[in-house]
Amino acid sequence: MRYIKTRFAPSPTGLIHLGNARTALFNRFFGEVFGVRIEDTDQSRSRLEFVEALLEDLTWLGLEWEFGPTVAIPNEYFQSQRIAIYARYYSRLEENGLAYPCFCTAEELALTRKVQLSQGLPPKYSGKCAHLGPNEIAQKLAQGLKPALRFRVPTGQTVAFEDLIRGPQRFATDTIGDFIIRRADGTPSFFFCNAIDDALMGITHVLRGEDHLANTPRQLLILQALDLPAPRYGHISLILGEDGAPLSKRNGSVSIKELREKGYLPQAVVNFLARLGHSYAEEKILSIPELTTNFRLEKVHLAPARFDPKQLDFWQTLAVRTVSDEDLWDWLGKAIRALIPPAAQDQFLTLVRSNCTFPNQAKIWAEILFCDSYPITEAAQKVLVQTPPDFLRLALEAAYLHPENYSGFITALRVHSGRRGKELFEPLRAALTGRLDGPELGQIYALLGPKRVSRRLAEPITDSC
Ligand code: GLU
């Protein structure tokens, strides 16, 4: 039996953003076996700290992989460690005349490109080094020139494949110039090692960004020339920013690390990304196994998805409501947790679920409920200044009579003060919490406890701390 085997193959040249994270998720959802491969052949831009960061991000999102690095220690899943493997395949291509050394300099190539563009032609390698004889090559090598290795693209053919998402694709080889598979500094090019590794690692399906679509015919040609199995490719439409341009830092793309630091829950980010270009019938937080079960290639949208921060916050609110108590407690962070007395933990979490979207909001409520100094809003100050002391005295008496019973307290106060509705609740909220909005007063009354309630009614603070 052949499993669907997928992989996420990031280049560790920066932090992972929404687009890469979505690619990783779609591959995880689709693959029965899923892995991570680090494409770090560009040594000048790849950094081990980014490998660490991306593994941390994937783990935080809740993704698990069956093969790949577990810690950021280079091993067989780092392309930089596989150079000897690629060397074998270069030799095979060269022996069969399917690859040749190219001595063209960057300046020469740039010039040809310029000329072609000025003539309205698509840029393509001129073929200058395609037919150098063995003597010419030996001479250039003897001069110390370092050649790149180019793949010889067959002429007059069509590369056709069925894209898993975009359907039938056809590319004429005559539009593809011979391309570099090993740079002059000896490092393999993306086209080459990416294709070789997919074949050697038995990857059956590759889901990746639409920006790689034009690379696919080149990669299929390499695999065909080496008689290696090709995966099926599916190209996912890019994510666009709110301005309709491809998502980038400039128009709102954020890294997964930034989202984590802002207080987004992984369940929110995963559920948001899972629906960015894929439909799920249910509008509720689904676990990774549930998202996996319901993932279908037919449901991947052809039209590009738009990044809408409001949607992300929608999923965040839903996640805060539904994650386990344990996850929510963790999410609050050490500093907030330290403010909450053990006996109040459960009730406080209930309050957070329906009133907060981010930990900094929970922090405000922890301070209001469990600290003696907390912020007072201007609006609350105004209400308190206008509240007759008599009302607060009646409230204090009612609280004294009904210390553990909010409805007894509020009924007594209503009867004795003759106030109701806003007139009753506004000054009460202002005195008890220093603000006019917030969770149900019953929850606040219980969490503050009789001592704090009495103290705040006896001497309401009217200055902000
Ligand atoms: N390293 C490539 C990238 O990050 C991988 C592309 C692919 O998935 O094949 O874009």
Side-chain angles (χ1 to χ4, degrees), residues 168-183:
Q169 306 290 320
R170 293 171 74 81
F171 292 85
T173 55
D174 290 345
T175 61
I176 309 171
D178 294 350
F179 55 89
I180 292 181
I181 52 177
R182 188 178 62 210
R183 301 184 195 95

Side-chain angles (χ1 to χ4, degrees), residues 7 9-11 39 190 194 206 208 212:
R7 53 43 173 196
S11 305
E39 304 215 318
F190 160 76
N194 178 273
V206 169
R208 59 184 181 182
H212 284 291

Side-chain angles (χ1 to χ4, degrees), residues 33-53:
V33 178
F34 166 75
V36 176
R37 182 174 73 226
I38 307 295
E39 304 215 318
D40 58 346
T41 53
D42 183 348
Q43 290 289 303
S44 62
R45 294 174 60 224
S46 297
R47 298 229 297 268
L48 205 54
E49 73 193 67
F50 289 131
V51 178
E52 261 154 33

Side-chain angles (χ1 to χ4, degrees), residues 422-445:
K422 192 173 157 193
E423 262 208 309
L424 172 73
F425 290 107
E426 218 172 46
L428 212 47
R429 264 189 191 280
L432 292 179
T433 68
R435 52 198 300 146
L436 304 181
D437 60 345
E440 283 169 32
L441 214 48
Q443 278 180 307
I444 290 170
Y445 191 79

Side-chain angles (χ1 to χ4, degrees), residues 173-439:
T173 55
D174 290 345
T175 61
I176 309 171
D178 294 350
F179 55 89
I180 292 181
I181 52 177
R182 188 178 62 210
R183 301 184 195 95
D185 66 4
T187 58
S189 72
F190 160 76
F191 303 118
F192 189 77
C193 46
N194 178 273
I196 299 287
D197 283 346
D198 282 338
L200 298 185
M201 293 179 184
I203 304 302
T204 58
H205 295 74
V206 169
L207 298 179
R208 59 184 181 182
E210 197 187 359
D211 49 333
H212 284 291
L213 183 60
N215 298 334
T216 303
R218 292 177 174 79
Q219 300 196 288
L220 289 171
L221 286 170
I222 294 173
L223 294 174
Q224 197 185 20
L226 287 165
D227 207 15
L228 288 172
R232 299 282 313 273
Y233 292 93
H235 293 90
I236 313 166
S237 296
L238 299 182
I239 304 174
L240 303 182
E242 284 187 296
D243 57 359
L247 197 59
S248 67
K249 274 207 187 114
R250 194 183 45 75
N251 62 359
S253 178
V254 278
S255 67
I256 298 302
K257 186 173 176 211
E258 274 172 85
L259 292 179
R260 180 167 66 237
E261 287 173 354
K262 278 189 183 159
Y264 283 93
L265 280 158
Q267 292 86 343
V269 178
V270 165
N271 274 270
F272 168 70
L273 288 174
R275 289 164 176 89
L276 215 50
H278 183 284
S279 324
Y280 282 94
E282 286 177 295
E283 222 182 56
K284 61 175 204 181
I285 295 282
L286 297 174
S287 64
I288 290 183
E290 287 167 331
L291 289 164
T292 302
T293 308
N294 295 306
F295 182 84
R296 298 276 176 286
L297 283 181
E298 311 84 79
K299 290 192 197 160
V300 176
H301 306 165
L302 260 185
R306 287 228 178 185
F307 169 59
D308 176 359
K310 286 195 284 302
Q311 272 303 105
L312 176 58
D313 286 358
F314 164 83
W315 289 104
Q316 169 73 356
T317 309
L318 226 52
V320 171
R321 297 226 171 111
T322 53
V323 292
S324 67
D325 278 357
E326 244 180 11
D327 285 349
L328 202 63
W329 184 245
D330 265 7
W331 168 79
L332 289 176
K334 223 168 156 188
I336 301 178
R337 288 199 297 265
L339 301 175
I340 308 163
Q345 284 173 8
D346 289 351
Q347 259 182 305
F348 184 70
L349 287 185
T350 308
L351 176 148
V352 166
R353 284 189 195 280
S354 39
N355 292 280
C356 306
T357 314
F358 292 101
N360 57 4
Q361 296 160 329
K363 180 168 177 261
I364 295 176
W365 283 102
E367 284 170 351
I368 292 174
L369 294 166
F370 311 117
C371 302
D372 291 326
S373 96
Y374 53 92
I376 316 281
T377 65
E378 247 176 67
Q381 282 175 37
K382 231 189 204 161
V383 168
L384 281 175
V385 170
Q386 291 164 0
T387 304
D390 258 10
F391 173 76
L392 292 176
R393 194 178 43 76
L394 289 176
L396 189 60
E397 279 171 21
Y400 182 71
L401 289 174
H402 305 278
E404 310 285 346
N405 171 2
Y406 173 70
S407 74
F409 159 75
I410 209 76
T411 311
L413 182 58
R414 187 181 292 127
V415 171
H416 291 119
S417 69
R419 290 185 178 220
R420 50 217 305 258
K422 192 173 157 193
E423 262 208 309
L424 172 73
F425 290 107
E426 218 172 46
L428 212 47
R429 264 189 191 280
L432 292 179
T433 68
R435 52 198 300 146
L436 304 181
D437 60 345

Side-chain angles (χ1 to χ4, degrees), residues 109 112-113 116-117 121-127 150 153 155 172-178 218:
L109 295 171
T112 330
R113 212 182 140 80
Q116 288 170 334
L117 286 172
L121 298 169
K124 179 179 150 181
Y125 180 60
S126 65
R150 272 187 197 273
V153 175
T155 53
T173 55
D174 290 345
T175 61
I176 309 171
D178 294 350
R218 292 177 174 79

